[in-house]
Amino acid sequence: MTVVLMWEARAADGRGAELLDWARAQVLVPAPARREYLRAPQDRVLVLTWWNAPYDADLPELPEPAPELITRAVHRWRFESVVVE
């Protein structure tokens, strides 16, 4: 099974690039099979990590950034890949 962890945060005004750099510098052990970074208006940063693991596996996640770097708590979701035939 493939599990995808989604991490999304909104940076403080004008700090989107800094938040993205912070997210990219975070080390996950073990490393995910794949990791992707996205950004959106309002300095939002999204990180998706793919894992070959059961849905309820204990997987490393990105932590909360420093409070002054974000405008609200980080949002996290967990998904499983679905095969459509």
Side-chain angles (χ1 to χ4, degrees), residues 23-36:
R24 294 181 70 193
Q26 300 308 299
V27 176
L28 297 174
V29 178
R34 179 177 164 199
R35 191 174 189 176
E36 188 170 343

Side-chain angles (χ1 to χ4, degrees), residues 9-58:
R10 184 172 175 195
D13 284 341
R15 298 186 76 178
E18 186 179 349
L19 179 59
L20 179 58
D21 288 344
W22 177 90
R24 294 181 70 193
Q26 300 308 299
V27 176
L28 297 174
V29 178
R34 179 177 164 199
R35 191 174 189 176
E36 188 170 343
Y37 304 90
L38 300 101
R39 61 183 172 184
Q42 299 177 327
D43 286 329
R44 288 179 291 148
V45 173
L46 175 69
V47 181
L48 300 171
T49 56
W50 281 259
W51 305 86
N52 297 318
Y55 184 82
D56 59 353
D58 185 21

